[in-house]
């Protein structure tokens, strides 16, 4: 076996250690290692740079231009270098991504955060999560503070205005979830199908007085859900009743329930499942039976929806897919690919459970 001094003198080549079977030995340094021996000259020739530049890109990426570094590391990955994916995370080599959510206590964002984290772990990337507590002022400050410390940011369900977001995303890569903005990659849920199915389902059960309880007025998702609800009601020649806006939490649903009773509606579609839970709880406290006397539909299909009593009929969306796709889109943008990939849409659909029924169903 050759001694360590006999290895190539190039600094990058010194990082290679092999046993008798040609496998990389157990060094735990965060330098790039190889599954098979590929001379730097091969990578240099492929990219069109010198071997010294290849060496610097692998050892000191901060000394190499971004586009050159990305090309070299991509070639190194094809040549068998293990760790090239981590090197693609930016010349800082930090491999850290930020995720900004409006309310981490909301099960929707808990599931979303977990799906982002699981996807990033596959690439050896760390995640920093920030909760804006539904405050647009806090959101802007958080993103501004976070950007210099990470390689890119995922912003979920932003409450900021379009111009405010545009001002923040002029530097590092940003991917939006449930928000569309020209020039920024985004993962959005198409609520039109699910909303239409919810209205048609309630109408088929005999309901004619159906209301929508709004979430935050600054929420893009709320606007899409309300518009889809109104369009579906208009197609059925039914008058849409709109309550709110309310905080997108349990307490917001409690408030909406009292308005629904006062207005004489027989079915209500809530902005999200948390509000739907609040509505059902308030109705129960007032002796109004769900679904016998009032039907309730939510949005999101959070894990608790199927075990609530009665189980909640809701418009389901693939929360996990939203998180995974956003993470992958940001990783590609950081690697210099698809910086502006436009919007990718995820479909929604109604899941019928025990919170909806015909009017006076228990008496029939």
């Amino acid at each position: 076996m050759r001694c360590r001094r006999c290895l190539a003198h190039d600094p990058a080549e010194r990082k290679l250690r092999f046993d008798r079977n040609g496998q990389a030995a157990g060094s735990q340094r965060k330098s790039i290692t190889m599954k098979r021996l590929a001379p730097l000259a091969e990578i240099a020739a492929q990219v069109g740079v010198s071997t010294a530049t290849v060496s610097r890109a692998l050892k000191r990426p901060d000394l190499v231009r971004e586009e050159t570094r990305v090309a070299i590391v991509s070639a190194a990955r094809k040549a068998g270098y293990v760790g090239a994916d981590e090197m693609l995370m930016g010349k800082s080599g930090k491999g850290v991504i930020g995720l900004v959510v409006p309310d981490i206590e909301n099960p929707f964002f808990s599931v979303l955060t977990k799906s982002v984290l699981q996807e990033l772990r596959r690439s050896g990337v760390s995640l920093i999560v920030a909760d804006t507590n539904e405050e647009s002022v806090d959101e802007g400050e958080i993103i501004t503070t976070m950007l210099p410390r990470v390689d890119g940011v995922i912003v979920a369900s932003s409450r900021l205005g379009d111009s405010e977001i545009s001002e923040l995303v002029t530097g590092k890569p940003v991917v939006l979830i449930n928000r569309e903005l020209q020039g920024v990659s985004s993962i959005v849920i198409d609520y039109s199908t699910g909303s239409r199915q919810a209205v048609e389902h309630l109408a088929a059960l005999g309901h004619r007085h159906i209301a929508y309880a709004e979430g935050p007025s600054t929420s893009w998702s709320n606007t899409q859900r309300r518009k889809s609800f109104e369009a579906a009601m208009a197609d059925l020649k039914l008058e849409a009743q709109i309550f709110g806006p309310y905080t997108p939490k349990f307490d917001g649903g409690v408030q909406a329930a009292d308005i629904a009773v006062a207005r004489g509606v027989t079915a209500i579609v809530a902005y999200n499942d948390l509000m739907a839970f609040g509505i059902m709880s308030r109705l129960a406290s007032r002796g109004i039976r769900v679904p016998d006397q009032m039907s309730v539909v939510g949005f999101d299909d959070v894990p608790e929806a199927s075990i609530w009593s009665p189980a909640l009929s809701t418009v389901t969306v693939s929360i996990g897919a939203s998180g995974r796709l956003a993470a992958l889109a940001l990783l590609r943008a950081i690697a210099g690919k698809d910086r502006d990939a436009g919007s990718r849409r995820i479909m929604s659909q109604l899941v019928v459970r025990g919170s909806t029924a015909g009017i006076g169903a228990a008496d029939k």
Side-chain angles (χ1 to χ4, degrees):
M1 178 181 294
R2 296 173 62 192
C3 67
R4 292 184 178 182
R5 292 182 179 178
C6 296
L7 293 172
H9 294 291
D10 187 283
E13 295 286 3
R14 292 197 196 102
K15 298 176 183 176
L16 308 179
R17 302 290 186 268
F18 294 90
D19 58 21
R20 292 177 183 268
N21 296 319
Q23 300 297 315
S27 172
Q28 296 186 3
R29 296 175 59 191
K30 289 187 177 180
S31 55
I32 289 184
T33 56
M34 289 200 307
K35 286 184 177 178
R36 63 180 178 82
L37 186 59
L40 297 186
E42 177 183 322
I43 299 172
Q46 181 177 342
V47 179
V49 298
S50 67
T51 56
T53 299
V54 174
S55 176
R56 282 194 297 273
L58 301 181
K59 183 176 175 62
R60 291 290 305 279
D62 54 306
L63 299 179
V64 180
R65 286 181 8 184
E66 178 73 8
E67 57 268 28
T68 303
R69 181 192 65 80
V70 170
I72 290 172
V73 177
S74 296
R77 178 172 55 183
K78 294 177 182 178
Y81 280 86
V82 177
D85 287 332
E86 287 80 352
M87 289 290 292
L88 282 171
M89 283 305 304
K91 60 185 178 183
S92 65
K94 290 182 291 188
V96 178
I97 280 178
L99 171 63
V100 180
V101 299
D103 181 13
I104 195 65
E105 291 183 341
N106 185 328
F108 178 94
F109 296 109
S110 299
V111 174
L112 179 73
T113 299
K114 184 174 182 179
S115 66
V116 171
L117 179 60
Q118 289 177 333
E119 190 60 47
L120 295 181
R121 278 178 176 170
R122 296 188 178 97
S123 300
V125 180
S126 299
L127 179 66
I128 297 175
V129 181
D131 183 348
T132 69
N133 197 34
E134 294 286 352
E135 295 289 344
S136 58
V137 174
D138 291 346
E139 181 181 343
E141 293 177 353
I142 286 171
I143 296 174
T144 300
T145 303
M146 179 181 285
L147 277 171
R149 294 168 170 79
V150 297
D151 297 294
V153 175
I154 298 171
V155 182
S157 300
S158 176
R159 306 310 192 214
L160 295 173
D162 288 352
S163 60
E164 294 173 298
I165 297 177
S166 297
E167 291 176 1
L168 292 171
V169 301
T170 56
K172 294 182 180 178
V174 173
V175 173
L176 304 176
I177 296 178
N178 275 355
R179 182 64 173 270
E180 283 187 303
L181 183 62
Q182 186 174 3
V184 183
S185 295
S186 61
I187 309 297
V188 297
I189 297 169
D190 186 340
Y191 296 108
S192 59
T193 301
S195 296
R196 179 172 298 280
Q197 290 174 348
V199 171
E200 290 176 346
H201 168 66
L202 293 171
L205 292 173
H207 295 280
R208 295 297 178 265
H209 302 287
I210 308 170
Y212 172 70
E214 288 198 275
S217 58
T218 53
S219 167
W220 180 90
S221 295
N222 178 66
T223 301
Q224 303 306 310
R225 295 172 186 184
R226 187 192 69 242
K227 288 182 177 179
S228 297
F229 171 83
E230 291 173 328
M233 291 288 287
D235 288 345
L236 294 175
K237 304 296 190 294
L238 298 176
E239 181 181 355
Q241 297 193 51
I242 309 296
F243 307 154
Y246 301 103
T247 58
K249 300 181 180 182
F250 185 94
D251 290 344
V254 171
Q255 297 173 31
D258 289 334
I259 302 300
V261 173
R263 298 281 182 86
V265 304
T266 61
I268 185 167
V269 178
Y271 163 73
N272 66 7
D273 290 345
L274 290 186
M275 287 181 59
F277 297 153
I279 290 170
M280 289 194 288
S281 176
R282 178 59 175 166
L283 292 175
S285 71
R286 294 187 57 169
I288 299 172
R289 300 187 306 276
V290 175
D292 303 333
Q293 294 173 282
M294 187 178 294
S295 289
V296 180
V297 176
F299 268 92
D300 294 340
D301 196 17
V302 298
E304 293 82 355
S306 62
I307 60 175
W308 201 263
S309 182
L312 179 63
S313 296
T314 183
V315 176
T316 184
V317 298
S318 181
I319 306 173
S322 299
R324 290 191 297 273
L325 290 173
L328 290 171
L330 188 58
L331 290 174
R332 290 183 61 82
I334 292 171
K337 305 174 182 177
D338 300 333
R339 184 69 179 260
D340 177 15
S343 296
R344 182 161 181 178
R345 309 187 79 80
I346 298 175
M347 300 303 295
S348 62
Q349 64 178 12
L350 177 68
V351 174
V352 177
R353 297 192 179 109
S355 66
T356 53
I359 302 173
D363 301 326
K364 295 180 180 179

